[in-house]
Amino acid sequence: GQQLNQSPQSMFIQEGEDVSMNCTSSSIFNTWLWYKQDPGEGPVLLIALYKAGELTSNGRLTAQFGITRKDSFLNISASIPSDVGIYFCAGERNDMRFGAGTRLTVKP
Amino acid sequence: DAGVTQSPTHLIKTRGQQVTLRCSPKSGHDTVSWYQQALGQGPQFIFQYYEEEERQRGNFPDRFSGHQFPNYSSELNVNALLLGDSALYLCASRMVENYGYTFGSGTRLTVV
């Protein structure tokens, strides 16, 4: 099946630090997406990437669609306490599949 | 503008029972997908509905079935509930292909 390997599983960082997480797969995807999920809520779309090599920013967030179409990364710059949550990568071809998530903790 | 609406928010069922979960997509969206999210895991794709037909299906048994109505709303049915079916069930909708889905807040199903 379409397995997405997301790393790291969890991160504990100091407020103001930059964060990087990534996702790899053995399958090719047409679209890569990054979502954030807060407790008791559904995932919220942060960034969507539609072309291999595409680099897209959304405020302090930057994500890239890998050139092989099998990977993507998400960077968060100058982290703040409200960045706390679980970040999921998702790849879409015929349907959308998710990674296992990266749990981010930001210490003030 | 209401986003994706799911009902009920919480549900407790007994093993062997049947359950129906409901989803109203975001206004203007015509495609609905359902996901199961176990505690501490990423969402797992169950199936996708478009034009009232199941278009894609994940690795879930036939006990999981669905329906999409002409107004694009959708139902997820699970028969013969097992303890392992306890999870957060998420509904997501979108308008066209290759655009990100909008998710509801989910239905928390507990099977006892």
Side-chain angles (χ1 to χ4, degrees), chain A residues 35 37 41-42 50 92 96, chain B residues 35 37 94 98 101 104-105:
Chain A
Y35 285 84
Q37 187 174 28
E41 300 292 328
Y50 304 108
E92 183 165 18
M96 187 168 66
Chain B
Y35 289 81
Q37 187 176 25
R94 70 173 177 197
N98 293 337
Y101 278 93
S105 295

Side-chain angles (χ1 to χ4, degrees), chain B residues 9-21:
Chain B
T9 53
H10 294 83
L11 200 53
I12 300 175
K13 288 286 192 178
T14 303
R15 189 172 45 183
Q17 283 188 316
Q18 178 263 345
V19 69
T20 297
L21 310 182

Side-chain angles (χ1 to χ4, degrees), chain A residues 8 10 12 15 18 21-22 25 29-30 33 38 48 55 74 82-83 97 102:
Chain A
S10 60
F12 296 82
E15 182 178 357
D18 296 344
M21 58 190 79
N22 69 82
S25 174
F29 290 104
N30 297 329
L33 309 104
D38 292 325
L55 184 72
L74 174 71
S82 62
D83 290 335
R97 306 291 174 127
T102 295

Side-chain angles (χ1 to χ4, degrees), chain A residues 21-34:
Chain A
M21 58 190 79
N22 69 82
C23 211
T24 61
S25 174
S26 58
S27 302
I28 289 174
F29 290 104
N30 297 329
T31 306
W32 279 95
L33 309 104
W34 287 90

Side-chain angles (χ1 to χ4, degrees), chain A residues 30-31 33 35 37 40-45 48 50 88 92-101 103, chain B residues 35 37 40-45 48 56-59 88 90 94 98-106:
Chain A
N30 297 329
T31 306
L33 309 104
Y35 285 84
Q37 187 174 28
E41 300 292 328
V44 173
L45 181 65
Y50 304 108
F88 291 101
E92 183 165 18
R93 193 164 59 191
N94 298 313
D95 54 71
M96 187 168 66
R97 306 291 174 127
F98 283 79
R103 183 179 295 273
Chain B
Y35 289 81
Q37 187 176 25
Q41 304 290 323
Q44 298 294 312
F45 174 71
Q48 178 196 77
Q56 303 287 339
R57 188 178 183 93
N59 189 26
L88 180 68
L90 294 163
R94 70 173 177 197
N98 293 337
Y99 279 77
Y101 278 93
T102 299
F103 280 82
S105 295

Side-chain angles (χ1 to χ4, degrees), chain A residues 46-83:
Chain A
L46 299 174
I47 291 181
L49 303 151
Y50 304 108
K51 291 194 310 186
E54 180 181 352
L55 184 72
T56 297
S57 292
N58 178 8
R60 294 179 295 105
L61 277 59
T62 301
Q64 184 158 29
F65 189 144
I67 199 73
T68 64
R69 296 168 64 192
K70 293 182 179 181
D71 63 307
S72 177
F73 73 75
L74 174 71
N75 289 336
I76 305 173
S77 63
S79 58
I80 59 178
S82 62
D83 290 335

Side-chain angles (χ1 to χ4, degrees), chain B residues 30-44:
Chain B
D30 58 8
T31 303
V32 173
S33 289
W34 287 91
Y35 289 81
Q36 180 195 65
Q37 187 176 25
L39 209 57
Q41 304 290 323
Q44 298 294 312

